[in-house]
């Protein structure tokens, strides 16, 4: 019955905001098409290798700056060496609108990097902090396709307290302010829950960040 109830905005921690269904169906479709292009090159979407040698279960492609655990570079040194695709103005504008929707004011939000993560039916992401940026500007997270359980914790430890949030297609999650460096992760996705009309089998998550790098 839960799915018959409208999902409401929630603030799982100070500075962390969940806005369900923020993206329209058309925006989601446009993002799926754009992500498919970005995944094809100039840098191919790939699973990043962790410092311990294991591979992430999520596949990633980046815009603006290439990320690998745990640094940003302009060229994809661990993925063929290509020049990372440009971060488009329209995506920065979407990011400013997202920050305004979350906090009521976009401030001077100027994201210059995006990580596009693809989750197949078995992918997940362990608890971690986004802390390779030299800016405390908020992270904007957009989810498309299969829903997932997103665990949003605290800045001190990867353990409790945390809140488990169901992120569905079109949802916006922004974490800034006191929660900017909070631990978070994706426990699991719910395969097959995405709208087939999106033409996407799995889950896409796009995070926008300000790297603070020049
Ligand atoms: C991330 O933490 O970078 C991705 C989060 C998500 O997939 O929702
Ligand atoms: Fe993250």
């Amino acid at each position: 019955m839960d799915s018959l109830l409208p999902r409401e905005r929630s603030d799982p921690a100070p500075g962390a905001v969940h806005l369900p269904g923020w993206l329209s169906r058309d925006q989601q479709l446009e993002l799926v098409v754009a992500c498919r292009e970005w995944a094809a090159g100039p840098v191919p979407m790939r699973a990043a290798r962790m410092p311990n040698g294991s591979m992430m279960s999520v596949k990633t492609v980046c815009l603006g700056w290439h990320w690998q655990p745990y640094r940003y570079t302009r060229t994809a040194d661990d993925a063929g060496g290509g020049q990372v695709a440009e971060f488009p103005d329209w995506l920065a504008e979407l990011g400013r609108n997202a920050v305004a929707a979350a906090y009521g004011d976009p401030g001077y939000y100027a994201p210059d990097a995006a990580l596009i993560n693809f989750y197949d039916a078995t992918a997940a992401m362990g608890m971690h902090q986004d802390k390779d940026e030299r800016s405390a500007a908020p992270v904007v997270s957009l989810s498309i396709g299969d829903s997932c359980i997103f665990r949003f914790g605290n800045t001190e430890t990867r353990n409790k307290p945390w809140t488990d949030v169901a992120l569905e297609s079109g949802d916006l999650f922004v974490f800034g302010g006191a929660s900017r460096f909070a631990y978070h992760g994706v426990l699991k996705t719910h395969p097959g829950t995405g709208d087939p009309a999106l033409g996407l089998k799995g889950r896409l998550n796009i995070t926008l960040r300000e790297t603070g790098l020049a």
Side-chain angles (χ1 to χ4, degrees):
M1 290 294 281
D2 276 359
S3 60
L4 295 179
L5 301 171
R7 295 180 307 129
E8 307 275 355
R9 172 194 169 111
S10 69
D11 299 54
V17 181
H18 176 212
L19 286 172
W22 185 72
L23 291 169
S24 70
R25 163 77 76 81
D26 282 352
Q27 285 175 306
Q28 295 176 53
L29 275 167
E30 282 165 24
L31 284 167
V32 169
V33 170
C35 287
R36 193 160 278 135
E37 270 176 37
W38 292 323
V43 176
M45 183 173 249
R46 56 83 176 97
R49 184 181 294 275
M50 303 297 283
N52 69 7
S54 67
M55 307 301 278
M56 289 180 71
S57 58
V58 168
K59 289 194 172 67
T60 308
V61 68
C62 307
L63 307 176
W65 288 89
H66 178 76
W67 179 84
Q68 70 180 93
Y70 292 100
R71 62 200 159 96
Y72 287 102
T73 48
R74 285 290 192 190
T75 51
D77 305 331
D78 66 334
Q83 185 83 17
V84 66
E86 196 179 312
F87 188 100
D89 286 344
W90 63 264
L91 194 56
E93 189 61 32
L94 186 65
R96 273 189 290 280
N97 291 339
V99 169
Y103 301 133
D105 177 356
Y108 290 97
Y109 194 55
D112 62 340
L115 270 67
I116 294 142
N117 286 323
F118 175 74
Y119 295 73
D120 68 13
T122 60
M125 193 180 288
M127 294 296 277
H128 66 279
Q129 293 167 293
D130 292 0
K131 61 176 183 186
D132 299 320
E133 302 77 22
R134 290 187 201 150
S135 160
V139 174
V140 165
S141 154
L142 301 166
S143 294
I144 302 172
D146 287 344
S147 62
C148 77
I149 303 173
F150 180 63
R151 177 162 287 177
F152 196 80
N154 62 87
T155 55
E156 299 304 314
T157 76
R158 63 184 67 244
N159 304 314
K160 286 180 178 175
W162 58 49
T163 305
D164 287 344
V165 180
L167 290 184
E168 297 186 12
S169 199
D171 286 11
L172 166 65
F173 196 97
V174 181
F175 51 104
S179 282
R180 171 59 181 81
F181 297 101
Y183 283 88
H184 58 277
V186 173
L187 265 58
K188 65 185 292 308
T189 69
H190 300 295
T193 51
D195 180 350
L198 289 171
L200 172 70
K201 194 167 176 240
R203 171 174 186 262
L204 273 175
N205 177 262
I206 304 170
T207 48
L208 311 183
R209 299 124 186 262
E210 266 187 28
T211 63
L213 300 168

